Amino acid sequence: MKKRYYISLAALLVLAGLIFYKYYYVNPYADHNIVQKDLLNSFYSAFRTKDYGSIADLMSNHNPQMVISVRHWYGEVTSFQIKEIRRTSATEKKAVVSVTSRRNNEQHVNTDYLILTKGIDGWKISSYESDLDYKLPG
């Protein structure tokens, strides 16, 4: 009987840990992620309209080239949703963003992965990658 009690208690603690992780630790709307969420909202607002000047201001190296190359293939960006913002160190966080777009008259959903770093000027985007599968002509 005691063994069943301890197994149930351990399962409950694991479940509580998973809930805490999902709804607090990586939640983009948690208090500790507000600044990063605002940065991502600014980035994707500029991303939708192809405002590369604004994107450059949000990049740590002020060079939006890695974004321009991918953005061309997205087509018309219709929406985005910040899925998670996870702290990896005191000065770095990783973000996962789902992007919905229309290209070739079809709706596509892709996932972007961004690394946000804290510097002297505050939080900036230091890395941008997408799972977008595109093929160059040729």
Side-chain angles (χ1 to χ4, degrees), residues 20-38 84-87 90 93 116 118 123:
F20 174 78
Y21 176 78
K22 179 65 178 168
Y23 293 102
Y24 179 75
Y25 184 69
V26 300
N27 182 352
Y29 301 98
D31 290 343
H32 60 272
N33 286 329
I34 289 174
V35 173
Q36 295 79 24
K37 178 186 65 79
D38 291 344
E84 68 179 51
I85 301 173
R86 182 178 346 116
R87 180 181 172 176
K93 292 189 178 190
L116 315 174
K118 185 177 183 180
W123 287 90

PDB file of all heavy atoms in Angstrom, residues 20-38 84-87 90 93 116 118 123:
ATOM      1  N   PHE A  20       4.452  23.403 -14.205  1.00  0.00           N
ATOM      2  CA  PHE A  20       5.227  24.597 -13.858  1.00  0.00           C
ATOM      3  C   PHE A  20       6.131  24.992 -15.012  1.00  0.00           C
ATOM      4  O   PHE A  20       6.202  26.156 -15.394  1.00  0.00           O
ATOM      5  CB  PHE A  20       6.066  24.343 -12.602  1.00  0.00           C
ATOM      6  CG  PHE A  20       6.995  25.478 -12.269  1.00  0.00           C
ATOM      7  CD1 PHE A  20       6.514  26.620 -11.662  1.00  0.00           C
ATOM      8  CD2 PHE A  20       8.345  25.406 -12.582  1.00  0.00           C
ATOM      9  CE1 PHE A  20       7.364  27.674 -11.363  1.00  0.00           C
ATOM     10  CE2 PHE A  20       9.202  26.446 -12.284  1.00  0.00           C
ATOM     11  CZ  PHE A  20       8.709  27.588 -11.670  1.00  0.00           C
ATOM     12  N   TYR A  21       6.822  24.036 -15.612  1.00  0.00           N
ATOM     13  CA  TYR A  21       7.727  24.301 -16.724  1.00  0.00           C
ATOM     14  C   TYR A  21       6.977  24.916 -17.897  1.00  0.00           C
ATOM     15  O   TYR A  21       7.383  25.939 -18.450  1.00  0.00           O
ATOM     16  CB  TYR A  21       8.417  23.005 -17.160  1.00  0.00           C
ATOM     17  CG  TYR A  21       9.309  23.168 -18.365  1.00  0.00           C
ATOM     18  CD1 TYR A  21      10.570  23.722 -18.239  1.00  0.00           C
ATOM     19  CD2 TYR A  21       8.882  22.776 -19.628  1.00  0.00           C
ATOM     20  CE1 TYR A  21      11.391  23.886 -19.340  1.00  0.00           C
ATOM     21  CE2 TYR A  21       9.699  22.926 -20.729  1.00  0.00           C
ATOM     22  CZ  TYR A  21      10.948  23.484 -20.585  1.00  0.00           C
ATOM     23  OH  TYR A  21      11.753  23.648 -21.679  1.00  0.00           O
ATOM     24  N   LYS A  22       5.853  24.327 -18.272  1.00  0.00           N
ATOM     25  CA  LYS A  22       5.111  24.773 -19.454  1.00  0.00           C
ATOM     26  C   LYS A  22       4.409  26.102 -19.232  1.00  0.00           C
ATOM     27  O   LYS A  22       4.412  26.965 -20.097  1.00  0.00           O
ATOM     28  CB  LYS A  22       4.098  23.696 -19.854  1.00  0.00           C
ATOM     29  CG  LYS A  22       3.268  24.048 -21.047  1.00  0.00           C
ATOM     30  CD  LYS A  22       4.110  24.156 -22.296  1.00  0.00           C
ATOM     31  CE  LYS A  22       3.240  24.475 -23.491  1.00  0.00           C
ATOM     32  NZ  LYS A  22       3.983  24.858 -24.644  1.00  0.00           N
ATOM     33  N   TYR A  23       3.784  26.288 -18.096  1.00  0.00           N
ATOM     34  CA  TYR A  23       2.953  27.463 -17.888  1.00  0.00           C
ATOM     35  C   TYR A  23       3.636  28.597 -17.146  1.00  0.00           C
ATOM     36  O   TYR A  23       3.067  29.671 -17.029  1.00  0.00           O
ATOM     37  CB  TYR A  23       1.650  27.076 -17.191  1.00  0.00           C
ATOM     38  CG  TYR A  23       0.798  26.238 -18.088  1.00  0.00           C
ATOM     39  CD1 TYR A  23       0.724  24.870 -17.923  1.00  0.00           C
ATOM     40  CD2 TYR A  23       0.122  26.813 -19.155  1.00  0.00           C
ATOM     41  CE1 TYR A  23      -0.038  24.091 -18.770  1.00  0.00           C
ATOM     42  CE2 TYR A  23      -0.640  26.042 -20.012  1.00  0.00           C
ATOM     43  CZ  TYR A  23      -0.714  24.691 -19.813  1.00  0.00           C
ATOM     44  OH  TYR A  23      -1.464  23.916 -20.664  1.00  0.00           O
ATOM     45  N   TYR A  24       4.836  28.395 -16.686  1.00  0.00           N
ATOM     46  CA  TYR A  24       5.549  29.493 -16.036  1.00  0.00           C
ATOM     47  C   TYR A  24       6.926  29.702 -16.652  1.00  0.00           C
ATOM     48  O   TYR A  24       7.240  30.775 -17.126  1.00  0.00           O
ATOM     49  CB  TYR A  24       5.687  29.249 -14.538  1.00  0.00           C
ATOM     50  CG  TYR A  24       6.443  30.376 -13.871  1.00  0.00           C
ATOM     51  CD1 TYR A  24       5.829  31.596 -13.656  1.00  0.00           C
ATOM     52  CD2 TYR A  24       7.776  30.227 -13.500  1.00  0.00           C
ATOM     53  CE1 TYR A  24       6.522  32.649 -13.089  1.00  0.00           C
ATOM     54  CE2 TYR A  24       8.466  31.276 -12.928  1.00  0.00           C
ATOM     55  CZ  TYR A  24       7.839  32.482 -12.723  1.00  0.00           C
ATOM     56  OH  TYR A  24       8.530  33.516 -12.177  1.00  0.00           O
ATOM     57  N   TYR A  25       7.734  28.699 -16.669  1.00  0.00           N
ATOM     58  CA  TYR A  25       9.131  28.842 -17.068  1.00  0.00           C
ATOM     59  C   TYR A  25       9.292  29.258 -18.527  1.00  0.00           C
ATOM     60  O   TYR A  25      10.063  30.143 -18.840  1.00  0.00           O
ATOM     61  CB  TYR A  25       9.876  27.536 -16.793  1.00  0.00           C
ATOM     62  CG  TYR A  25      11.348  27.600 -17.070  1.00  0.00           C
ATOM     63  CD1 TYR A  25      12.193  28.363 -16.266  1.00  0.00           C
ATOM     64  CD2 TYR A  25      11.902  26.922 -18.140  1.00  0.00           C
ATOM     65  CE1 TYR A  25      13.550  28.438 -16.525  1.00  0.00           C
ATOM     66  CE2 TYR A  25      13.259  26.978 -18.407  1.00  0.00           C
ATOM     67  CZ  TYR A  25      14.070  27.743 -17.594  1.00  0.00           C
ATOM     68  OH  TYR A  25      15.408  27.810 -17.858  1.00  0.00           O
ATOM     69  N   VAL A  26       8.575  28.634 -19.463  1.00  0.00           N
ATOM     70  CA  VAL A  26       8.727  28.948 -20.888  1.00  0.00           C
ATOM     71  C   VAL A  26       7.565  29.773 -21.436  1.00  0.00           C
ATOM     72  O   VAL A  26       7.544  30.099 -22.614  1.00  0.00           O
ATOM     73  CB  VAL A  26       8.904  27.671 -21.746  1.00  0.00           C
ATOM     74  CG1 VAL A  26      10.134  26.911 -21.320  1.00  0.00           C
ATOM     75  CG2 VAL A  26       7.679  26.801 -21.713  1.00  0.00           C
ATOM     76  N   ASN A  27       6.619  30.128 -20.607  1.00  0.00           N
ATOM     77  CA  ASN A  27       5.456  30.897 -21.030  1.00  0.00           C
ATOM     78  C   ASN A  27       5.883  32.295 -21.480  1.00  0.00           C
ATOM     79  O   ASN A  27       6.433  33.061 -20.703  1.00  0.00           O
ATOM     80  CB  ASN A  27       4.465  31.000 -19.872  1.00  0.00           C
ATOM     81  CG  ASN A  27       3.200  31.735 -20.232  1.00  0.00           C
ATOM     82  OD1 ASN A  27       3.073  32.314 -21.296  1.00  0.00           O
ATOM     83  ND2 ASN A  27       2.258  31.715 -19.314  1.00  0.00           N
ATOM     84  N   PRO A  28       5.623  32.655 -22.747  1.00  0.00           N
ATOM     85  CA  PRO A  28       6.037  33.974 -23.230  1.00  0.00           C
ATOM     86  C   PRO A  28       5.292  35.125 -22.544  1.00  0.00           C
ATOM     87  O   PRO A  28       5.742  36.265 -22.591  1.00  0.00           O
ATOM     88  CB  PRO A  28       5.724  33.934 -24.726  1.00  0.00           C
ATOM     89  CG  PRO A  28       4.790  32.813 -24.923  1.00  0.00           C
ATOM     90  CD  PRO A  28       4.998  31.860 -23.792  1.00  0.00           C
ATOM     91  N   TYR A  29       4.195  34.830 -21.891  1.00  0.00           N
ATOM     92  CA  TYR A  29       3.409  35.878 -21.244  1.00  0.00           C
ATOM     93  C   TYR A  29       3.692  35.984 -19.742  1.00  0.00           C
ATOM     94  O   TYR A  29       3.052  36.768 -19.053  1.00  0.00           O
ATOM     95  CB  TYR A  29       1.920  35.642 -21.502  1.00  0.00           C
ATOM     96  CG  TYR A  29       1.640  35.628 -22.987  1.00  0.00           C
ATOM     97  CD1 TYR A  29       1.539  34.426 -23.676  1.00  0.00           C
ATOM     98  CD2 TYR A  29       1.570  36.809 -23.711  1.00  0.00           C
ATOM     99  CE1 TYR A  29       1.337  34.415 -25.043  1.00  0.00           C
ATOM    100  CE2 TYR A  29       1.378  36.808 -25.077  1.00  0.00           C
ATOM    101  CZ  TYR A  29       1.264  35.611 -25.739  1.00  0.00           C
ATOM    102  OH  TYR A  29       1.078  35.595 -27.096  1.00  0.00           O
ATOM    103  N   ALA A  30       4.664  35.209 -19.255  1.00  0.00           N
ATOM    104  CA  ALA A  30       5.060  35.300 -17.848  1.00  0.00           C
ATOM    105  C   ALA A  30       5.788  36.624 -17.619  1.00  0.00           C
ATOM    106  O   ALA A  30       6.400  37.196 -18.529  1.00  0.00           O
ATOM    107  CB  ALA A  30       5.960  34.128 -17.475  1.00  0.00           C
ATOM    108  N   ASP A  31       5.735  37.112 -16.391  1.00  0.00           N
ATOM    109  CA  ASP A  31       6.347  38.401 -16.057  1.00  0.00           C
ATOM    110  C   ASP A  31       7.824  38.479 -16.424  1.00  0.00           C
ATOM    111  O   ASP A  31       8.310  39.518 -16.856  1.00  0.00           O
ATOM    112  CB  ASP A  31       6.181  38.705 -14.563  1.00  0.00           C
ATOM    113  CG  ASP A  31       4.738  39.012 -14.195  1.00  0.00           C
ATOM    114  OD1 ASP A  31       3.938  39.308 -15.111  1.00  0.00           O
ATOM    115  OD2 ASP A  31       4.415  38.956 -13.001  1.00  0.00           O
ATOM    116  N   HIS A  32       8.554  37.384 -16.266  1.00  0.00           N
ATOM    117  CA  HIS A  32       9.988  37.405 -16.534  1.00  0.00           C
ATOM    118  C   HIS A  32      10.319  37.367 -18.029  1.00  0.00           C
ATOM    119  O   HIS A  32      11.482  37.455 -18.398  1.00  0.00           O
ATOM    120  CB  HIS A  32      10.695  36.254 -15.792  1.00  0.00           C
ATOM    121  CG  HIS A  32      10.204  34.902 -16.184  1.00  0.00           C
ATOM    122  ND1 HIS A  32       9.135  34.314 -15.558  1.00  0.00           N
ATOM    123  CD2 HIS A  32      10.606  34.043 -17.138  1.00  0.00           C
ATOM    124  CE1 HIS A  32       8.911  33.134 -16.110  1.00  0.00           C
ATOM    125  NE2 HIS A  32       9.785  32.946 -17.082  1.00  0.00           N
ATOM    126  N   ASN A  33       9.310  37.263 -18.895  1.00  0.00           N
ATOM    127  CA  ASN A  33       9.537  37.245 -20.341  1.00  0.00           C
ATOM    128  C   ASN A  33       8.898  38.432 -21.071  1.00  0.00           C
ATOM    129  O   ASN A  33       8.856  38.447 -22.300  1.00  0.00           O
ATOM    130  CB  ASN A  33       9.010  35.946 -20.949  1.00  0.00           C
ATOM    131  CG  ASN A  33       9.884  34.765 -20.628  1.00  0.00           C
ATOM    132  OD1 ASN A  33      11.090  34.894 -20.469  1.00  0.00           O
ATOM    133  ND2 ASN A  33       9.285  33.593 -20.525  1.00  0.00           N
ATOM    134  N   ILE A  34       8.416  39.421 -20.352  1.00  0.00           N
ATOM    135  CA  ILE A  34       7.706  40.541 -20.972  1.00  0.00           C
ATOM    136  C   ILE A  34       8.600  41.307 -21.946  1.00  0.00           C
ATOM    137  O   ILE A  34       8.188  41.612 -23.072  1.00  0.00           O
ATOM    138  CB  ILE A  34       7.122  41.483 -19.903  1.00  0.00           C
ATOM    139  CG1 ILE A  34       5.957  40.807 -19.199  1.00  0.00           C
ATOM    140  CG2 ILE A  34       6.670  42.804 -20.519  1.00  0.00           C
ATOM    141  CD1 ILE A  34       5.395  41.584 -18.036  1.00  0.00           C
ATOM    142  N   VAL A  35       9.809  41.633 -21.560  1.00  0.00           N
ATOM    143  CA  VAL A  35      10.714  42.398 -22.421  1.00  0.00           C
ATOM    144  C   VAL A  35      11.022  41.618 -23.697  1.00  0.00           C
ATOM    145  O   VAL A  35      10.993  42.168 -24.806  1.00  0.00           O
ATOM    146  CB  VAL A  35      12.007  42.766 -21.669  1.00  0.00           C
ATOM    147  CG1 VAL A  35      13.022  43.400 -22.596  1.00  0.00           C
ATOM    148  CG2 VAL A  35      11.695  43.687 -20.502  1.00  0.00           C
ATOM    149  N   GLN A  36      11.280  40.342 -23.573  1.00  0.00           N
ATOM    150  CA  GLN A  36      11.593  39.510 -24.732  1.00  0.00           C
ATOM    151  C   GLN A  36      10.361  39.336 -25.627  1.00  0.00           C
ATOM    152  O   GLN A  36      10.474  39.338 -26.849  1.00  0.00           O
ATOM    153  CB  GLN A  36      12.125  38.145 -24.283  1.00  0.00           C
ATOM    154  CG  GLN A  36      13.439  38.212 -23.546  1.00  0.00           C
ATOM    155  CD  GLN A  36      13.290  38.629 -22.087  1.00  0.00           C
ATOM    156  OE1 GLN A  36      12.248  38.459 -21.475  1.00  0.00           O
ATOM    157  NE2 GLN A  36      14.356  39.185 -21.539  1.00  0.00           N
ATOM    158  N   LYS A  37       9.189  39.201 -25.041  1.00  0.00           N
ATOM    159  CA  LYS A  37       7.948  39.091 -25.810  1.00  0.00           C
ATOM    160  C   LYS A  37       7.726  40.360 -26.624  1.00  0.00           C
ATOM    161  O   LYS A  37       7.382  40.302 -27.812  1.00  0.00           O
ATOM    162  CB  LYS A  37       6.757  38.832 -24.899  1.00  0.00           C
ATOM    163  CG  LYS A  37       5.412  38.749 -25.638  1.00  0.00           C
ATOM    164  CD  LYS A  37       4.246  38.634 -24.688  1.00  0.00           C
ATOM    165  CE  LYS A  37       4.042  39.824 -23.836  1.00  0.00           C
ATOM    166  NZ  LYS A  37       3.392  40.972 -24.404  1.00  0.00           N
ATOM    167  N   ASP A  38       7.955  41.505 -26.003  1.00  0.00           N
ATOM    168  CA  ASP A  38       7.803  42.775 -26.720  1.00  0.00           C
ATOM    169  C   ASP A  38       8.808  42.893 -27.863  1.00  0.00           C
ATOM    170  O   ASP A  38       8.475  43.390 -28.944  1.00  0.00           O
ATOM    171  CB  ASP A  38       7.953  43.955 -25.757  1.00  0.00           C
ATOM    172  CG  ASP A  38       6.791  44.068 -24.783  1.00  0.00           C
ATOM    173  OD1 ASP A  38       5.725  43.442 -25.029  1.00  0.00           O
ATOM    174  OD2 ASP A  38       6.938  44.775 -23.767  1.00  0.00           O
ATOM    175  N   GLU A  84       7.170  29.770 -27.099  1.00  0.00           N
ATOM    176  CA  GLU A  84       7.897  29.702 -25.832  1.00  0.00           C
ATOM    177  C   GLU A  84       9.106  30.619 -25.862  1.00  0.00           C
ATOM    178  O   GLU A  84       9.642  30.933 -26.920  1.00  0.00           O
ATOM    179  CB  GLU A  84       8.325  28.278 -25.492  1.00  0.00           C
ATOM    180  CG  GLU A  84       9.371  27.689 -26.386  1.00  0.00           C
ATOM    181  CD  GLU A  84       9.755  26.275 -25.968  1.00  0.00           C
ATOM    182  OE1 GLU A  84       8.858  25.428 -25.784  1.00  0.00           O
ATOM    183  OE2 GLU A  84      10.964  26.024 -25.836  1.00  0.00           O
ATOM    184  N   ILE A  85       9.479  31.044 -24.685  1.00  0.00           N
ATOM    185  CA  ILE A  85      10.726  31.784 -24.461  1.00  0.00           C
ATOM    186  C   ILE A  85      11.395  31.100 -23.279  1.00  0.00           C
ATOM    187  O   ILE A  85      10.851  31.080 -22.178  1.00  0.00           O
ATOM    188  CB  ILE A  85      10.486  33.270 -24.154  1.00  0.00           C
ATOM    189  CG1 ILE A  85       9.724  33.941 -25.304  1.00  0.00           C
ATOM    190  CG2 ILE A  85      11.810  33.972 -23.878  1.00  0.00           C
ATOM    191  CD1 ILE A  85       9.295  35.366 -25.014  1.00  0.00           C
ATOM    192  N   ARG A  86      12.561  30.510 -23.540  1.00  0.00           N
ATOM    193  CA  ARG A  86      13.246  29.713 -22.520  1.00  0.00           C
ATOM    194  C   ARG A  86      14.586  30.353 -22.177  1.00  0.00           C
ATOM    195  O   ARG A  86      15.381  30.668 -23.061  1.00  0.00           O
ATOM    196  CB  ARG A  86      13.453  28.307 -23.058  1.00  0.00           C
ATOM    197  CG  ARG A  86      14.110  27.372 -22.098  1.00  0.00           C
ATOM    198  CD  ARG A  86      14.263  25.956 -22.662  1.00  0.00           C
ATOM    199  NE  ARG A  86      13.477  25.683 -23.848  1.00  0.00           N
ATOM    200  CZ  ARG A  86      14.015  25.398 -25.039  1.00  0.00           C
ATOM    201  NH1 ARG A  86      15.314  25.348 -25.199  1.00  0.00           N
ATOM    202  NH2 ARG A  86      13.238  25.142 -26.073  1.00  0.00           N
ATOM    203  N   ARG A  87      14.852  30.512 -20.908  1.00  0.00           N
ATOM    204  CA  ARG A  87      16.126  31.058 -20.447  1.00  0.00           C
ATOM    205  C   ARG A  87      17.211  29.989 -20.550  1.00  0.00           C
ATOM    206  O   ARG A  87      17.040  28.865 -20.073  1.00  0.00           O
ATOM    207  CB  ARG A  87      15.990  31.511 -19.004  1.00  0.00           C
ATOM    208  CG  ARG A  87      17.255  32.090 -18.442  1.00  0.00           C
ATOM    209  CD  ARG A  87      17.066  32.500 -17.018  1.00  0.00           C
ATOM    210  NE  ARG A  87      18.361  32.862 -16.464  1.00  0.00           N
ATOM    211  CZ  ARG A  87      18.546  33.336 -15.272  1.00  0.00           C
ATOM    212  NH1 ARG A  87      17.524  33.505 -14.467  1.00  0.00           N
ATOM    213  NH2 ARG A  87      19.747  33.645 -14.856  1.00  0.00           N
ATOM    214  N   ALA A  90      21.905  33.764 -17.886  1.00  0.00           N
ATOM    215  CA  ALA A  90      21.461  35.057 -17.371  1.00  0.00           C
ATOM    216  C   ALA A  90      21.344  36.103 -18.481  1.00  0.00           C
ATOM    217  O   ALA A  90      20.585  37.062 -18.358  1.00  0.00           O
ATOM    218  CB  ALA A  90      22.417  35.550 -16.296  1.00  0.00           C
ATOM    219  N   LYS A  93      18.322  33.951 -24.015  1.00  0.00           N
ATOM    220  CA  LYS A  93      17.075  33.206 -24.036  1.00  0.00           C
ATOM    221  C   LYS A  93      16.845  32.708 -25.455  1.00  0.00           C
ATOM    222  O   LYS A  93      17.275  33.326 -26.425  1.00  0.00           O
ATOM    223  CB  LYS A  93      15.897  34.084 -23.606  1.00  0.00           C
ATOM    224  CG  LYS A  93      15.967  34.465 -22.129  1.00  0.00           C
ATOM    225  CD  LYS A  93      14.703  35.131 -21.675  1.00  0.00           C
ATOM    226  CE  LYS A  93      14.779  35.444 -20.188  1.00  0.00           C
ATOM    227  NZ  LYS A  93      13.486  35.886 -19.661  1.00  0.00           N
ATOM    228  N   LEU A 116      17.973  35.287 -28.220  1.00  0.00           N
ATOM    229  CA  LEU A 116      17.938  36.663 -27.733  1.00  0.00           C
ATOM    230  C   LEU A 116      19.047  36.824 -26.704  1.00  0.00           C
ATOM    231  O   LEU A 116      19.197  35.980 -25.824  1.00  0.00           O
ATOM    232  CB  LEU A 116      16.579  36.964 -27.103  1.00  0.00           C
ATOM    233  CG  LEU A 116      15.340  36.492 -27.875  1.00  0.00           C
ATOM    234  CD1 LEU A 116      14.082  36.715 -27.072  1.00  0.00           C
ATOM    235  CD2 LEU A 116      15.261  37.195 -29.207  1.00  0.00           C
ATOM    236  N   LYS A 118      21.175  39.581 -24.013  1.00  0.00           N
ATOM    237  CA  LYS A 118      21.126  40.840 -23.277  1.00  0.00           C
ATOM    238  C   LYS A 118      22.485  41.496 -23.344  1.00  0.00           C
ATOM    239  O   LYS A 118      23.496  40.909 -22.966  1.00  0.00           O
ATOM    240  CB  LYS A 118      20.731  40.596 -21.822  1.00  0.00           C
ATOM    241  CG  LYS A 118      20.544  41.861 -21.026  1.00  0.00           C
ATOM    242  CD  LYS A 118      20.084  41.541 -19.626  1.00  0.00           C
ATOM    243  CE  LYS A 118      19.822  42.815 -18.854  1.00  0.00           C
ATOM    244  NZ  LYS A 118      19.375  42.520 -17.492  1.00  0.00           N
ATOM    245  N   TRP A 123      17.929  43.865 -24.623  1.00  0.00           N
ATOM    246  CA  TRP A 123      17.779  42.593 -25.317  1.00  0.00           C
ATOM    247  C   TRP A 123      17.734  42.805 -26.826  1.00  0.00           C
ATOM    248  O   TRP A 123      17.051  43.698 -27.315  1.00  0.00           O
ATOM    249  CB  TRP A 123      16.519  41.876 -24.852  1.00  0.00           C
ATOM    250  CG  TRP A 123      16.665  41.328 -23.474  1.00  0.00           C
ATOM    251  CD1 TRP A 123      16.376  41.962 -22.300  1.00  0.00           C
ATOM    252  CD2 TRP A 123      17.169  40.039 -23.117  1.00  0.00           C
ATOM    253  NE1 TRP A 123      16.665  41.142 -21.238  1.00  0.00           N
ATOM    254  CE2 TRP A 123      17.149  39.959 -21.717  1.00  0.00           C
ATOM    255  CE3 TRP A 123      17.620  38.954 -23.849  1.00  0.00           C
ATOM    256  CZ2 TRP A 123      17.561  38.826 -21.036  1.00  0.00           C
ATOM    257  CZ3 TRP A 123      18.033  37.819 -23.163  1.00  0.00           C
ATOM    258  CH2 TRP A 123      18.000  37.765 -21.771  1.00  0.00           C
TER     259      TRP A 123
END
